[in-house]
Amino acid sequence: MSKYSISEFIKNTEQEDKGEGLFELETPRMLEVNLNGMVWAKAGSMVAYNGKIKYEREGILEHGLGNMFKKALTGEGTSLMKANGQGKLYLADSGKKIIILQLQNEAIYVNGNDLLAFEPSLKHEIKLMKRVAGMMAGGLFNVRCEGSGMVAITTHYEPLTLRVTPGKPVVTDPNATVAWSGNLQPEFQTDISFKTFVGRGSGESIQMRFEGDGFVIVQPYEEVYMQQSNS
């Protein structure tokens, strides 16, 4: 049989159950959710499903008036959907690499654009980065997930995790910053020499500075956010 035959292709690429539970990496860039109940997922991330699953966009008042205000400022980028029911749900986001993390009474901040899915057992809150609202054209928000349960995040290419220790702060480019531990609060700073170093000829160069004890996940890619309209 030819290695390029359709049957060989199907054999090499077809879905297989790995028995890993609710979240499985079907491929490095495709998340399988073995759904029996509810899961939160990034709006627009569903590529296929089987079974009986209903989808519902996150209600604008789901988290109160404060979050409604944040949504108005951040456009549709924070949109989450609920998937309810039983079946298999396949999620992906622009071919980005997927990482599954099992939180055990822990907290993590994830850039709003890089959050793919998480269990409803995790409490989540959208955080607006007010201090950079006038400096960056999007990517102004992150989501704090806290508790015990699984969360799936996405990165462009291979991620790198940097440890933050007392007296040894880590400084990152916001557009390359994917997630950080829930006990860290980044400070924003500008640096003209850094702007020259990364080849940006106009506008302020914004950096995120992390101090304390924790970690930061970065990707080898600078995500350029488009300001999304609310119309």
Side-chain angles (χ1 to χ4, degrees):
M1 184 187 296
S2 166
K3 67 176 180 178
Y4 298 118
S5 69
I6 288 177
S7 57
E8 190 68 13
F9 173 77
I10 291 172
K11 187 177 91 174
N12 290 335
T13 60
E14 72 179 325
Q15 181 269 335
E16 60 175 297
D17 284 323
K18 300 183 177 73
E20 293 171 0
L22 177 67
F23 285 2
E24 291 183 14
L25 279 182
E26 191 58 38
T27 74
R29 299 168 196 279
M30 183 86 70
L31 180 70
E32 177 185 291
V33 182
N34 294 298
L35 194 60
N36 185 15
M38 195 272 272
V39 73
W40 286 103
K42 184 176 183 177
S45 64
M46 187 272 285
V47 294
Y49 74 94
N50 61 40
K52 292 188 175 181
I53 301 175
K54 287 185 178 178
Y55 303 97
E56 179 187 341
R57 285 291 278 269
E58 180 183 29
I60 199 148
L61 290 174
E62 187 115 14
H63 298 286
L65 288 170
N67 273 42
M68 185 173 84
F69 172 68
K70 291 174 188 176
K71 274 185 180 293
L73 280 178
T74 56
E76 288 298 302
T78 53
S79 292
L80 295 167
M81 65 177 183
K82 291 178 182 176
N84 261 304
Q86 291 183 311
K88 290 186 185 296
L89 173 61
Y90 297 94
L91 305 175
D93 185 8
S94 304
K96 291 162 72 176
K97 188 177 176 69
I98 298 168
I99 302 154
I100 299 172
L101 298 174
Q102 173 78 55
L103 302 189
Q104 297 176 322
N105 200 24
E106 296 164 297
I108 189 171
Y109 286 97
V110 185
N111 184 305
N113 198 50
D114 301 319
L115 182 62
L116 182 63
F118 58 94
E119 289 191 72
S121 58
L122 294 174
K123 177 186 171 189
H124 74 283
E125 184 181 358
I126 297 166
K127 300 274 190 181
L128 180 67
M129 296 190 260
K130 297 190 189 82
R131 288 185 56 193
V132 289
M135 304 179 199
M136 291 173 66
L140 305 179
F141 58 91
N142 53 67
V143 181
R144 179 184 167 91
C145 292
E146 184 173 13
S148 295
M150 284 194 282
V151 58
I153 65 178
T154 58
T155 66
H156 285 279
Y157 311 108
E158 305 300 320
L160 174 69
T161 300
L162 301 169
R163 287 300 309 267
V164 181
T165 55
K168 292 187 176 179
V170 170
V171 179
T172 65
D173 182 328
N175 292 348
T177 306
V178 174
W180 57 95
S181 48
N183 60 315
L184 297 182
Q185 295 287 341
E187 287 291 318
F188 289 89
Q189 62 186 36
T190 59
D191 187 324
I192 298 302
S193 61
F194 182 75
K195 177 183 75 175
T196 307
F197 180 66
V198 296
R200 291 187 179 148
S202 62
E204 294 283 3
S205 170
I206 313 300
Q207 301 172 332
M208 296 173 80
R209 180 183 176 92
F210 296 89
E211 292 195 59
D213 192 357
F215 64 87
V216 185
I217 302 171
V218 294
Q219 62 186 5
Y221 183 96
E222 288 184 48
E223 198 129 20
V224 178
Y225 303 99
M226 299 299 293
Q227 189 69 43
Q228 301 193 36
S229 104
N230 287 310
S231 58

